[in-house]
Amino acid sequence: IYIAVSSIAYIFGSKSYAFLRKYFPLPHETLIRKNISPIVKSNVKNLVNIEECNTIIDDFITKNPTNEEIHVTLAIDAASFKETRGEAILKKFFELKYIDPDKIYNNLFLFFVQPININVKPFPIHISLKENGSTSKETIACIKEVFKILKEKNIHVDFVATDGDRQYDSLHEEFFEIIFNLHKSNMPFTQIIDEISSSTMFEIPISDFLHLLKILRSNLVKYGLVVDNKNTISLRKDELLDYNMGKALIDLSSHGKMKDHYPLEIFSSKNILKAIEENNWPFIFYSIPFNLMINAIRNPFLSHDLRKFNLETSFYFVLHYLYQYDESIAPLISRIGLIRIINTIIGLCVALTKYDFVQIGHIGTHPL
């Protein structure tokens, strides 16, 4: 028990553990590592070998006595690590046939399972090592293999959450074509959602809404934009200086580009209320759909129906921007960016329609 408790403390952080050792007679780190290293090595081996996905699933999801279907989001994202030659990797993981001993690897793709309708914590199912952070055809093939493995375990991938990599554009284009065809047939939003929810359609492509909001914010503060289809009404950051948004409006650094709270500040309700008082309709028209989307996802006090109403309103606003895209001299975001927003809105509404209990935070890449 003494070693087990010490190991847990060490796993939380070696620096914290070193601090605690100043005050408590805990064992040396080498003894801790001796006990946990075999477990760590076993877990890493399971993660990098796609053949071991079933072992990982069995570890995280216990046998389902009711045989109820489990619905999940499969999130995929890249992370960088110190450059390592393939030869060194193969010494530890000789079974990885795709590793070239002469090439340098500095990125990994993590495949993360996020359950939607049951009380199971998200868990990693596979790690694939790559030479860079760009998605490849091999990564797409790997995604399909993980789909197959999960389905064999009666785990259905309702949503596939990815970042803005261009390799995923085709997935978004294909799904959007389905949505747009339904829209062009004069089908109202609620009926579109019901149509998709009642179908056997799975693997709906989702983009993380915070990632999309950060792109929107970046375009606003760097270039400005227009909000109508005749390019007569514009919106620039200097027109918003009296809103006291602070660094959210003026930080142009690469680090600031990645901060989640910047777009949340710009699209906040207090700024929209102030804009209403000042009759600043360009800002209201621009920010309302994204404020409603934020509330639908992040506000813990809304009912399913109100969340869907917010998302439906956002859908029509974003669709407006898509219709005017070709004639706009300063669009809010790229065309595929607008499509990704629409697909994400539809996906969220499908989840709210299909399930009484939804871990809405698990529909996206943010947990990953």
Side-chain angles (χ1 to χ4, degrees):
I1 293 174
Y2 175 64
I3 296 296
V5 171
S6 300
S7 298
I8 292 169
Y10 179 73
I11 288 170
F12 272 95
S14 57
K15 289 184 179 179
S16 299
Y17 188 75
F19 175 80
L20 288 174
R21 286 193 74 228
K22 294 179 181 179
Y23 304 97
F24 301 100
L26 301 177
H28 193 269
E29 293 180 20
T30 53
L31 178 61
I32 299 297
R33 286 198 295 268
K34 181 180 178 182
N35 281 277
I36 66 175
S37 288
I39 301 170
V40 172
K41 287 179 180 178
S42 174
N43 287 335
V44 171
K45 185 178 180 181
N46 289 341
L47 282 169
V48 297
N49 288 282
I50 199 163
E51 294 82 6
E52 299 298 328
C53 285
N54 284 325
T55 303
I56 295 172
I57 295 169
D58 291 339
D59 284 344
F60 279 90
I61 298 182
T62 56
K63 189 175 180 181
N64 190 356
T66 61
N67 203 32
E68 180 186 358
E69 289 184 349
I70 298 172
H71 295 265
V72 304
T73 298
L74 179 65
I76 304 106
D77 206 355
S80 60
F81 58 87
K82 186 178 179 181
E83 288 190 348
T84 307
R85 186 171 289 276
E87 183 181 9
I89 295 172
L90 288 170
K91 285 181 180 179
K92 288 194 173 185
F93 306 104
F94 60 88
E95 65 274 17
L96 298 184
K97 306 299 182 185
Y98 66 88
I99 297 294
D100 187 328
D102 298 323
K103 290 184 177 179
I104 301 295
Y105 295 82
N106 60 12
N107 266 265
L108 60 83
F109 277 80
L110 178 58
F111 298 77
F112 202 56
V113 175
Q114 299 166 182
I116 299 167
N117 63 328
I118 62 169
N119 190 25
V120 176
K121 290 183 178 180
F123 61 91
I125 189 171
H126 181 58
I127 288 174
S128 178
L129 305 180
K130 296 294 179 184
E131 299 165 67
N132 54 60
S134 298
T135 305
S136 63
K137 292 180 180 179
E138 289 75 19
T139 305
I140 301 296
C142 199
I143 293 172
K144 293 178 179 178
E145 182 65 22
V146 173
F147 286 164
K148 180 182 175 184
I149 292 168
L150 289 169
K151 190 172 182 179
E152 288 171 353
K153 286 285 188 177
N154 204 25
I155 301 171
H156 298 277
V157 179
D158 283 25
F159 309 103
V160 185
T162 60
D163 59 14
D165 196 295
R166 292 181 179 179
Q167 285 288 341
Y168 303 122
D169 286 356
S170 59
L171 300 177
H172 281 276
E173 293 275 11
E174 290 170 11
F175 181 66
F176 175 72
E177 188 176 353
I178 296 170
I179 298 169
F180 199 55
N181 285 336
L182 293 174
H183 169 70
K184 287 191 296 183
S185 67
N186 292 323
M187 188 177 288
F189 180 84
T190 52
Q191 196 174 340
I192 292 174
I193 298 301
D194 290 339
E195 183 81 11
I196 295 173
S197 300
S198 60
S199 71
T200 56
M201 188 181 299
F202 290 105
E203 302 155 13
I204 294 174
I206 298 285
S207 283
D208 189 82
F209 87 107
L210 282 171
H211 174 77
L212 295 167
L213 292 180
K214 284 183 282 191
I215 298 174
L216 288 163
R217 177 258 170 192
S218 181
N219 289 344
L220 170 65
V221 300
K222 282 186 177 180
Y223 315 114
L225 46 90
V226 296
V227 294
D228 80 320
N229 58 356
K230 293 185 179 179
N231 298 310
T232 57
I233 301 177
S234 64
L235 185 65
R236 303 186 307 276
K237 71 174 183 180
D238 57 291
E239 298 171 334
L240 303 172
L241 293 177
D242 64 336
Y243 285 69
N244 298 317
M245 298 181 190
K247 289 186 176 181
L249 198 63
I250 61 175
D251 188 352
L252 300 179
S253 67
S254 58
H255 186 61
K257 190 178 178 181
M258 301 303 295
K259 290 191 175 182
D260 293 340
H261 69 274
Y262 281 175
L264 295 178
E265 168 63 28
I266 289 175
F267 300 121
S268 64
S269 297
K270 66 180 179 67
N271 289 330
I272 294 176
L273 291 172
K274 184 173 181 179
I276 292 172
E277 291 175 1
E278 297 180 356
N279 292 323
N280 185 351
W281 300 111
F283 179 71
I284 296 166
F285 191 83
Y286 165 67
S287 56
I288 275 286
F290 310 117
N291 172 271
L292 295 175
M293 192 174 178
I294 290 167
N295 272 285
I297 296 170
R298 291 172 61 90
N299 191 329
F301 304 110
L302 302 187
S303 65
H304 273 25
D305 287 341
L306 187 51
R307 292 183 200 279
K308 287 191 285 186
F309 176 78
N310 282 5
L311 291 168
E312 178 180 358
T313 308
S314 299
F315 170 80
Y316 285 116
F317 271 88
V318 179
L319 199 61
H320 161 80
Y321 285 120
L322 185 64
Y323 272 118
Q324 74 164 29
Y325 181 81
D326 290 337
E327 297 179 5
S328 177
I329 59 173
L332 278 63
I333 195 172
S334 66
R335 180 182 177 277
I336 190 63
L338 293 168
I339 287 174
R340 285 170 177 268
I341 294 173
I342 289 172
N343 289 350
T344 302
I345 289 171
I346 294 292
L348 290 167
C349 279
V350 168
L352 291 167
T353 300
K354 288 178 67 173
Y355 309 115
D356 294 329
F357 174 74
V358 181
Q359 300 190 58
I360 201 164
H362 287 184
I363 306 173
T365 61
H366 196 62
L368 171 56

